[in-house]
Amino acid sequence: MSVACGSCGSVIDANDENYKIIDKFAVPKGVEAPAIPLGTRGKYHGTVWEVVGYMIRCDRSEMYQWREYLLFNPGKGFRWLMEFDGHWTYLVMMKNAPVESLMSSGRQVSHLGNHFSLFHTGKAKVRFAMGEFYWNVEVPGMVDVDDYICPPEIVSREASADEVVWSHGEYVSPEVIRQAFNIKEMPSQFGVSPCQPSTIGPTRDQVFKWYAIFAGLLLFGQIGHMVMADRLTVMQDRQIITSGIGKDFVTPTFKIPGGLANLELLLASNVSNNWMEVSGSLINEKTGEAYPMEHGVEYYSGYDGGEAWSEGNATDQKLFSMIPGGDYHFEYTATGAAPETTFTVAFNREVPMYFNFLFCFSLISLFPIFIGWRKHRFEVERWSTSDFSPYWSQEEDE
Amino acid sequence: MTPFTKFYVGFSTVLVLVFFYANFQGWSLWHSIQSGSWSPQGRTTFQHK
C-alpha cells in the first residue's frame, strides 16, 4: 500500500512504520485537479464509495490523457472510476482472466457470454498520482494495455513485468456520476467513448421491428391487389382517321362493372414517324357526370450514322383513378398527322397499380434508413480512434 | 417505445391504411401527385349536357 502526495510528488510506503519514501516524481505543471475531490463519498450501485486515490494517466505519446479515481468501500474493496473526455467508466478488477480468441474479425475476449472486440492496444503510464493506493505506485510505471469493447461494457488488460490485471467496466452516464458524488462542475464531454452505448440503438431496434411489420403488410397488400386485379376489357373501339382535321366518335354504351375502381385508357395505333391523339369525355349515362380524358401516342424511327434508332411508342395506356361502375359511353375526337391512321381505343377495368406500393414502401423506408445511417455514423465515430476499426476502409473513403 | 418510434409507427400506420384504401378504390397516388391535388381522383369532372 502506498500514499502519493500531489504537492511534492513523494510516494511513501504506508506499510512501513517510518513511512519510507519509495518513489518521487516531478509534479507536472498545470496538473488537473480531480473533478471528484479525495475523500468525497458517493453512492453507486447501492454502495457508498469513498474516493481515496486519483491518478492522471496517458499513453506513451502523451497525446491521450485520462483520469482514474480509486474508490474504496470497507466491505466491497476497491473499484475504479475512469474519466476520458467527459465520459465515465466504472471498473472492477476481474478474478479470472476472460477467454481470449482470434476471430476473422480480429482479437476478441469472452466474458459472461459477451464477446468483446479489440479496440486498443498500446502502452500507458502514470503522469500524476495523489492519495492512497493498494499497491506501490510508480511514476511513470509503464504497462501494456489492451482494451476490448462490447458497449456499454469494456474489458481491459494491463500487463507489467510482474503481473497481468484484467478489469471489467461499464459506461456510466455523467449525470449519474454527478448525482452520485454531488459534483458541481463536470468535465466537458467530447466525441464518443469506446464503450458508450448508442442512444439510437433502442430506437433503431424498435423501428426496424416495426418496419418489418409494415413492409410485410404492404407486400401482402400489393400481392393481393395484383392477384385480384382482373384487367377486364370493358370497351374496344377500332377506327380510322385521315390527316388534318379531327374526327368525332361516339362509342356504343358499355357497362363498367363493380364499384369504384381504376380504368385504363389504351390507345393502340399504327403511327410510324408520326403521332395521333384522342381527347374526349367518358360519360356516365345515368348521372350525366363526364370524366375528361385525353391521350396521345407518337413513334419515330430511322437510321443515323448507320445505326437504327427509335423513340416513342405506337401503343400506350393511361390510368384514371376511382371511376364508379355504371353504364357509359365515350365521346372523343381523334386527331393525327399521318395520311391515314388506324387506331383502337379500349378501356380496361381494374388494372394492377405499382406506384402506390413503391411510394408507400419508399416513405416507410426513409426512417429506418435514416436511423441506420445515424447508428452507422455513431459507430464510425466510436471506432475513429481505434487501430482496429472495422470501418477503417469506409473512413478513408469518406 | 421511444417518441421517435411512436411517431414512426403512427406515420407508417397512416401510410399503410392509405395504401390499402387506394388499392381497393383504384386510386392512383401518382395521379394525385401529378395533378397536385390530393383529392383521390386527382382530376375534375363536369356535368355532361
Side-chain angles (χ1 to χ4, degrees):
Chain A
M1 187 172 179
S2 63
V3 176
C5 173
S7 299
C8 67
S10 299
V11 181
I12 60 172
D13 184 351
N15 294 325
D16 187 292
E17 60 183 16
N18 296 317
Y19 299 118
K20 180 182 152 194
I21 295 177
I22 54 174
D23 195 11
K24 191 167 176 69
F25 62 91
V27 176
K29 283 184 181 173
V31 69
E32 297 162 80
I36 315 174
L38 295 186
T40 304
R41 289 184 179 181
K43 197 170 187 178
Y44 182 68
H45 274 338
T47 302
V48 176
W49 298 100
E50 182 176 341
V51 178
V52 295
Y54 171 67
M55 297 175 100
I56 299 176
R57 300 180 74 191
C58 60
D59 66 331
R60 184 155 57 179
S61 68
E62 301 191 3
M63 182 183 284
Y64 298 103
Q65 186 169 280
W66 61 96
R67 290 142 292 280
E68 296 181 355
Y69 299 83
L70 183 59
L71 310 178
F72 178 68
N73 174 280
K76 299 266 174 100
F78 293 97
R79 301 287 187 271
W80 287 100
L81 261 184
M82 196 269 280
E83 181 269 316
F84 175 65
D85 277 354
H87 297 279
W88 296 80
T89 309
Y90 173 79
L91 292 144
V92 183
M93 199 184 296
M94 295 164 69
K95 290 176 181 164
N96 300 309
V99 179
E100 293 178 80
S101 56
L102 184 62
M103 309 297 284
S104 57
S105 54
R107 279 165 59 188
Q108 283 193 346
V109 297
S110 300
H111 176 63
L112 299 177
N114 289 331
H115 301 292
F116 294 74
S117 303
L118 180 64
F119 184 87
H120 168 75
T121 182
K123 292 190 178 294
K125 64 183 180 182
V126 179
R127 278 195 74 210
F128 173 77
M130 62 188 276
E132 299 172 31
F133 300 92
Y134 55 82
W135 75 101
N136 289 343
V137 171
E138 291 177 26
V139 180
M142 189 84 78
V143 292
D144 292 319
V145 177
D146 295 335
D147 290 330
Y148 298 83
I149 62 164
C150 176
E153 298 176 33
I154 186 168
V155 165
S156 290
R157 174 185 180 272
E158 292 201 6
S160 65
D162 306 324
E163 61 174 352
V164 176
V165 177
W166 287 90
S167 305
H168 173 252
E170 63 179 15
Y171 185 87
V172 188
S173 150
E175 183 57 24
V176 170
I177 297 294
R178 191 186 68 76
Q179 288 184 6
F181 292 92
N182 195 22
I183 305 172
K184 291 196 174 74
E185 198 171 339
M186 293 288 284
S188 302
Q189 200 173 61
F190 301 98
V192 176
S193 159
C195 61
Q196 182 179 357
S198 165
T199 52
I200 308 157
T203 301
R204 188 191 68 152
D205 295 344
Q206 291 172 5
V207 164
F208 272 55
K209 186 186 78 181
W210 282 103
Y211 175 61
I213 294 169
F214 288 124
L217 280 172
L218 288 181
L219 201 60
F220 173 77
Q222 181 64 15
I223 291 170
H225 167 71
M226 289 166 68
V227 168
M228 288 162 65
D230 55 8
R231 204 190 183 97
L232 175 70
T233 300
V234 293
M235 191 282 290
Q236 204 165 355
D237 189 30
R238 183 181 165 86
Q239 300 289 355
I240 298 172
I241 53 168
T242 50
S243 141
I245 308 162
K247 189 175 179 183
D248 296 332
F249 298 95
V250 178
T251 68
T253 299
F254 58 91
K255 187 174 185 62
I256 295 180
L260 284 172
N262 64 33
L263 191 68
E264 179 188 70
L265 169 62
L266 178 78
L267 180 58
S269 72
N270 64 346
V271 292
S272 180
N273 287 318
N274 230 310
W275 61 272
M276 76 153 295
E277 67 176 23
V278 296
S279 172
S281 298
L282 178 71
I283 296 154
N284 187 315
E285 295 193 343
K286 187 177 177 187
T287 64
E289 194 169 18
Y291 301 89
M293 294 179 176
E294 59 177 43
H295 194 32
V297 290
E298 56 183 349
Y299 179 73
Y300 297 94
S301 63
Y303 284 89
D304 191 7
E307 289 196 13
W309 61 269
S310 69
E311 64 177 53
N313 209 322
T315 300
D316 201 8
Q317 58 278 330
K318 192 170 181 180
L319 197 68
F320 294 88
S321 294
M322 297 179 79
I323 305 292
D327 292 329
Y328 288 86
H329 68 267
F330 186 42
E331 294 181 8
Y332 65 98
T333 303
T335 313
E340 185 179 283
T341 305
T342 303
F343 68 94
T344 300
V345 170
F347 283 114
N348 297 318
R349 182 71 163 167
E350 289 189 25
V351 297
M353 298 181 290
Y354 301 97
F355 180 81
N356 291 354
F357 172 74
L358 294 174
F359 179 70
C360 294
F361 186 78
S362 302
L363 283 183
I364 69 161
S365 302
L366 286 178
F367 291 91
I369 290 171
F370 174 70
I371 291 268
W373 176 78
R374 284 279 309 275
K375 178 76 167 67
H376 175 79
R377 292 305 311 163
F378 186 88
E379 291 302 322
V380 167
E381 191 175 351
R382 177 202 305 288
W383 285 90
S384 62
T385 54
S386 170
D387 290 333
F388 306 96
S389 169
Y391 306 97
W392 68 270
S393 57
Q394 294 172 27
E395 285 169 35
E396 280 189 352
D397 292 344
E398 287 164 13
Chain B
M1 202 185 281
T2 64
F4 190 92
T5 309
K6 283 180 186 168
F7 172 76
Y8 177 69
V9 170
F11 173 80
S12 299
T13 302
V14 170
L15 267 180
V16 168
L17 290 176
V18 167
F19 168 77
F20 275 98
Y21 174 80
N23 274 7
F24 277 116
Q25 300 290 312
W27 171 21
S28 169
L29 300 176
W30 174 240
H31 290 161
S32 297
I33 292 170
Q34 269 186 320
S35 64
S37 162
W38 279 102
S39 73
Q41 289 89 348
R43 55 172 158 65
T44 52
T45 60
F46 60 91
Q47 202 63 26
H48 183 69
K49 295 181 180 174

